[in-house]
Amino acid sequence: MSGLRRRFWFTCGVCLPYPLGADRNGFGQQSRFSFNPGDLMSFRRMGIIIAAILLVVGVVIAIGAVPRGPKTSTLATSAQALAAAAESGGAVAQDASAQDTATPTGAATSTPTPGPTGVAPAPVPQGSHKAAPPAASSVSTVLIGTMSTGKPSTQAPFDAQYQYVVSPPAPDSSYYTMKSCPDGTSWWGCVGGSIGGLVTNDEALAAHATYLGKSHPQRVMWTWFELGLLVPGQPGVATPWQQEVQSVNHADLLTRYLNDYRFFLQKIGTSHDMIDLEPDFFGFARGMGDVTQVPAQVTAANPTDCGNQPDSVAGLARCLIAMTRKYAPNTEVGLHITCWDWPGNVDKCVKTYVGLGGKGADFLVGEVESTDSGLNIKQGNGSSLWSDQKWATQLAYWKQMAEAVGHPIVVWQIPIGNMAQNNTDYHYQDDKVDWLFSHMDQVASAHVGALMFGQGSDLSTTAETDGGNLYRKTIAYRNAGGTPLK
């Protein structure tokens, strides 16, 4: 789907996209996701970054996992049962001899795209920006979230809002102590009125969310997405996926990356946020071989925090989790599932994410489609409406992954369209919202802890253009008490 081949990164006041049609990883054309096991590489996508918003709003979810000492998990899943399954291998066959590779040749990837309109940044509310935990009625039920518009949330009792940090690292460490960025700097830390102000601004908006005139604080989930922009290159020219993976084996580049992640975590501090780590990247690494063997200069890049980690992509993933524990101890962190070959090969995906350290994370992040079905049809890609059987297959996959690592699944960037739409721009038909809300018992049984709805491609339906369907479904769901986690 060439219309989605775009990424954005932040500069001081401007989000710069790859041009439409630019193939971000040299993969060329590829159909979107299919359950056909013969289609080893399925289409991936990233969500939108509202181009005129300089607030990358984060997410609220409280993802549960096995408790770690004094930190209280805010998504009260059946974590003990999941942990027990993970310790015993669950129902997952651990085939150590299976080659854990998935060559990404021909696959498309995640790509943030702009929203329908530019939105001026909302004023940051006064007072503390620290969000309180979700209400007691919501902590043991499947949580509902949506992508933020950069304005205070008031329309529905969402538990979460999400956005991205899509940016190259700071040019060097001196930027972390600057008062302001030099003109033209492409770095997320320049956004928000002060160095790193993006984090505190977004947390403030989430903390001051309301519903029916009453406080309804939310949490922030950040999709951390820097490795695709780690290699210096010409703006608008995609980095080949092989080069993206090879970049982490260069100590100088990886040092910049880990320094930037440390600064990001330090800005979060004691806030109760969530972090979704690096969509696409782990899938690309699988294409290079066993992630425990694909090289990365982890110890040379960060001997202070990660000197005991192996010099591999798996060591890098474990390093990111360890850094989160150290610098943002109340924040929960998850690995983004990227296994394009999973139909018929779930055991291989399990092997990857156990090797990456998934048992030591707090959640895994799963996906469905990036684009409303009506827009897919208009672009010549066919229908992406899902049958009950297709959903059953997807939920079984997520359940197996959750039980393997002992942590729940957050489903991210779910298309918002509904069948009452008229298949014009920002009003395209889809069935994901209605199906999920009418099958919440099945969702919870798959150990899904949160559903995050959002526009994954430009022109797709948004929460503001869907005729109020997502708002109504969320209100009815919360009024009914929610669906208990399993």
Side-chain angles (χ1 to χ4, degrees):
M1 299 174 64
S2 61
L4 296 181
R5 303 281 198 273
R6 289 194 282 183
R7 280 199 180 192
F8 287 76
W9 60 93
F10 290 107
T11 61
C12 295
V14 182
C15 295
L16 301 177
Y18 285 125
L20 277 172
D23 185 354
R24 174 232 178 279
N25 291 287
F27 286 162
Q29 297 294 321
Q30 174 67 21
S31 65
R32 56 188 164 64
F33 181 79
S34 169
F35 274 89
N36 183 350
D39 296 335
L40 293 182
M41 306 314 298
S42 54
F43 179 76
R44 291 216 359 94
R45 72 270 172 260
M46 200 77 185
I48 55 176
I49 292 195
I50 306 289
I53 311 179
L54 298 181
L55 297 176
V56 175
V57 182
V59 181
V60 164
I61 316 182
I63 292 285
V66 181
R68 297 181 312 276
K71 180 180 166 206
T72 301
S73 173
T74 52
L75 205 171
T77 68
S78 54
Q80 292 180 347
L82 286 175
E87 288 302 316
S88 64
V92 178
Q94 300 293 326
D95 183 0
S97 65
Q99 184 179 9
D100 185 23
T101 61
T103 306
T105 304
T109 79
S110 304
T111 48
T113 58
T117 58
V119 182
V124 176
Q126 298 299 309
S128 172
H129 70 270
K130 304 300 182 183
S137 62
S138 68
V139 296
S140 61
T141 59
V142 177
L143 303 183
I144 307 299
T146 187
M147 184 173 177
S148 172
T149 62
K151 298 183 290 186
S153 176
T154 61
Q155 297 91 340
F158 291 115
D159 304 296
Q161 38 182 277
Y162 73 95
Q163 249 301 359
Y164 307 87
V165 180
V166 183
S167 165
D172 61 65
S173 295
S174 68
Y175 279 70
Y176 303 136
T177 56
M178 287 182 177
K179 298 296 184 183
S180 61
C181 291
D183 290 344
T185 302
S186 296
W187 177 47
W188 68 267
C190 299
V191 178
S194 62
I195 300 297
L198 172 70
V199 174
T200 51
N201 288 351
D202 289 359
E203 288 175 345
L205 284 171
H208 289 80
T210 62
Y211 177 62
L212 298 179
K214 297 180 180 179
S215 176
H216 191 84
Q218 304 172 1
R219 291 181 187 270
V220 177
M221 184 174 92
W222 310 92
T223 293
W224 180 256
F225 201 150
E226 277 202 356
L227 285 174
L229 296 168
L230 182 58
V231 178
Q234 181 180 353
V237 177
T239 300
W241 67 268
Q242 298 94 333
Q243 189 174 357
E244 183 172 330
V245 178
Q246 292 163 357
S247 70
V248 300
N249 200 34
H250 293 266
D252 56 341
L253 294 177
L254 193 57
T255 297
R256 283 183 59 211
Y257 173 80
L258 293 176
N259 284 346
D260 217 53
Y261 188 61
R262 183 189 298 110
F263 177 72
F264 173 65
L265 294 172
Q266 288 170 335
K267 296 304 295 184
I268 291 174
T270 59
S271 296
H272 293 260
D273 291 356
M274 295 174 56
I275 301 172
D276 165 18
L277 291 173
E278 294 294 350
D280 293 342
F281 177 77
F282 300 120
F284 298 151
R286 294 177 83 238
M288 303 289 281
D290 185 336
V291 293
T292 65
Q293 302 300 317
V294 177
Q297 294 296 316
V298 178
T299 57
N302 189 358
T304 301
D305 301 318
C306 302
N308 62 339
Q309 301 293 348
D311 285 325
S312 65
V313 166
L316 174 58
R318 292 167 184 259
C319 172
L320 294 172
I321 294 170
M323 290 176 68
T324 306
R325 303 283 182 247
K326 180 176 180 179
Y327 295 106
N330 296 323
T331 287
E332 290 168 315
V333 61
L335 301 175
H336 200 105
I337 304 173
T338 308
C339 295
W340 289 291
D341 62 340
W342 73 262
N345 295 285
V346 180
D347 290 352
K348 291 183 179 181
C349 191
V350 164
K351 182 173 180 282
T352 293
Y353 280 83
V354 170
L356 289 169
K359 291 184 179 181
D362 299 297
F363 57 95
L364 297 177
V365 181
E367 312 176 40
V368 286
E369 303 275 354
S370 66
T371 303
D372 292 316
S373 179
L375 181 55
N376 275 326
I377 293 171
K378 185 175 183 178
Q379 294 175 337
N381 297 300
S383 172
S384 55
L385 300 178
W386 280 27
S387 66
D388 288 348
Q389 182 55 52
K390 197 167 188 177
W391 272 115
T393 305
Q394 182 76 44
L395 292 172
Y397 166 48
W398 287 334
K399 183 175 183 177
Q400 189 169 344
M401 293 297 295
E403 290 179 351
V405 301
H407 302 298
I409 304 293
V410 173
V411 187
W412 165 82
Q413 196 176 263
I414 305 164
I416 296 179
N418 59 77
M419 300 307 291
Q421 299 303 298
N422 62 6
N423 284 330
T424 58
D425 288 353
Y426 309 110
H427 297 279
Y428 286 99
Q429 294 178 352
D430 203 87
D431 59 355
K432 308 298 182 298
V433 171
D434 291 343
W435 194 96
L436 288 164
F437 276 104
S438 63
H439 294 80
M440 290 298 286
D441 285 341
Q442 294 180 45
V443 170
S445 293
H447 309 306
V448 170
L451 299 174
M452 310 299 292
F453 296 91
Q455 183 195 37
S457 63
D458 190 21
L459 305 182
S460 284
T461 308
T462 73
E464 294 73 42
T465 65
D466 75 340
N469 186 56
L470 179 60
Y471 296 153
R472 290 192 296 271
K473 291 287 193 299
T474 301
I475 291 167
Y477 170 77
R478 277 285 161 242
N479 286 344
T483 300
L485 296 162
K486 299 178 183 179

